[in-house]
Amino acid sequence: MNTHAPDTKSFQPTKLLLCLLAATLFWFLSALNKPGYTLNVEYPVQFLYNDSLYIPTTPLPKTVRVNVSSDGWGLLRHAWLPFRVEPITYTIKAPLQATAINMSLLTAALAEHIKKLHVNYVVSDKLDVHFDRRMTKTIPLKADSLHINMVPPFVVTSVINLTPRSIEVNGPGKLVRGLPDTLWVKIPRKRISDNYDEEVPLNQLRHPLLHTSADRVAVSFEVGELLSPQLKLNGEKVKK
């Protein structure tokens, strides 16, 4: 007598996993349609001021952190993709009197600029700004001839040529006013015994807030051997 075991379906984990994934996706898509989500995003900002008259002495921020709200789709798009929009502009009308960015004005400008998201507030409590009046100074260049390292008995036998002979330095007035009236160019090469023609870096004025018309100067001069003041003639010393 043949007996048959009851016909039972085998366990199929693949189908179960697909069902779970489908349910999760449905829940996720449904959740994205709901409003009330918030997110902190970095939004580009551009500061407008008269840069021909004023210069910031501390770096101005390129972005501001903003708390925004929207439905899930709106925030998801900005969370995955960076902002590819024109930066918001913030005008600084009196740079010398400004000490901080007005957060109320900035928030209002952001709300007007960002149409698809609701701007709640700027995350930073205070953004400091510091400006100084822009100033330009012309500084003559002169060779430091007293400290040229020569091999005896060689000496400099011509005028020391410098190109350019002066430079313009532009930057904050407080820094520019403290610059020297003459910049002495040191010759870095040691034990010179032939004609000199090289470019020398102007390292004295390197500063992140200073801009110079040139950062190197071409230096050239001729070198000759200094003859002894006495010559020997027929075994006797005589004056030349």
Side-chain angles (χ1 to χ4, degrees), residues 14 17 22 25 36 47 49 52 72 83 85 105 140 142 170 198 240:
T14 303
L17 181 61
L25 181 61
F47 294 93
Y49 56 92
S52 65
F83 278 107
V85 294
L105 293 179
K142 291 186 178 181
N170 182 280
E198 295 181 8
K240 183 179 177 181

Side-chain angles (χ1 to χ4, degrees), residues 137-145 159-169 179-187 198-205 212-220:
K137 181 176 182 177
T138 300
I139 302 179
L141 303 178
K142 291 186 178 181
D144 185 7
S145 58
V159 174
I160 301 178
N161 299 303
L162 300 179
T163 306
R165 302 196 65 84
S166 64
I167 60 171
E168 287 190 351
V169 184
L179 296 176
D181 294 329
T182 300
L183 189 63
W184 293 93
V185 179
K186 296 183 180 297
I187 310 301
E198 295 181 8
E199 284 193 345
V200 176
L202 299 175
N203 297 323
Q204 302 94 316
L205 299 180
T212 59
S213 58
D215 58 0
R216 305 178 72 85
V217 56
V219 182
S220 64

Side-chain angles (χ1 to χ4, degrees), residues 5-237:
D7 187 12
T8 58
K9 294 183 178 180
S10 61
F11 176 69
Q12 296 180 330
T14 303
K15 289 185 177 180
L16 178 61
L17 181 61
L18 290 176
C19 290
L20 290 175
L21 289 175
T24 302
L25 181 61
F26 176 79
W27 172 86
F28 180 71
L29 295 177
S30 177
L32 288 178
N33 290 321
K34 297 180 180 180
Y37 292 96
T38 61
L39 182 70
N40 290 338
V41 296
E42 295 287 341
Y43 201 87
V45 60
Q46 181 181 13
F47 294 93
L48 299 181
Y49 56 92
N50 191 336
D51 59 357
S52 65
L53 296 179
Y54 308 102
I55 182 172
T57 56
T58 56
L60 296 174
K62 295 182 179 180
T63 61
V64 291
R65 184 173 289 272
V66 186
N67 182 272
V68 295
S69 59
S70 178
D71 59 25
W73 286 111
L75 294 185
L76 183 65
R77 180 174 65 254
H78 290 297
W80 285 2
L81 297 176
F83 278 107
R84 296 181 180 178
V85 294
E86 290 296 323
I88 182 176
T89 56
Y90 180 91
T91 302
I92 303 177
K93 297 181 179 179
L96 295 183
Q97 285 73 44
T99 58
I101 297 171
N102 189 312
M103 290 301 176
S104 299
L105 293 179
L106 181 60
T107 302
L110 285 164
E112 179 66 23
H113 196 72
I114 307 174
K115 298 296 186 181
K116 296 182 179 180
L117 300 176
H118 176 73
V119 177
N120 299 316
Y121 55 88
V122 178
V123 176
S124 301
D125 293 333
K126 185 179 180 182
L127 293 176
D128 295 332
V129 292
H130 301 282
F131 283 83
D132 195 359
R133 193 174 298 277
R134 187 180 290 276
M135 182 177 178
T136 300
K137 181 176 182 177
T138 300
I139 302 179
L141 303 178
K142 291 186 178 181
D144 185 7
S145 58
L146 296 179
H147 296 91
I148 300 178
N149 191 294
M150 309 292 295
V151 176
F154 293 95
V155 294
V156 177
T157 59
S158 71
V159 174
I160 301 178
N161 299 303
L162 300 179
T163 306
R165 302 196 65 84
S166 64
I167 60 171
E168 287 190 351
V169 184
N170 182 280
K174 185 177 181 180
L175 285 178
V176 174
R177 282 190 293 269
L179 296 176
D181 294 329
T182 300
L183 189 63
W184 293 93
V185 179
K186 296 183 180 297
I187 310 301
R189 199 210 292 182
K190 304 295 184 182
R191 299 185 61 79
I192 299 174
S193 60
D194 54 2
N195 292 342
Y196 187 91
D197 188 359
E198 295 181 8
E199 284 193 345
V200 176
L202 299 175
N203 297 323
Q204 302 94 316
L205 299 180
R206 287 190 177 179
H207 190 284
L209 295 179
L210 294 178
H211 300 276
T212 59
S213 58
D215 58 0
R216 305 178 72 85
V217 56
V219 182
S220 64
F221 54 85
E222 295 180 0
V223 173
E225 185 176 1
L226 181 64
L227 299 178
S228 172
Q230 295 180 336
L231 297 176
K232 288 185 178 181
L233 182 62
N234 297 327
E236 295 181 359
K237 290 185 178 180

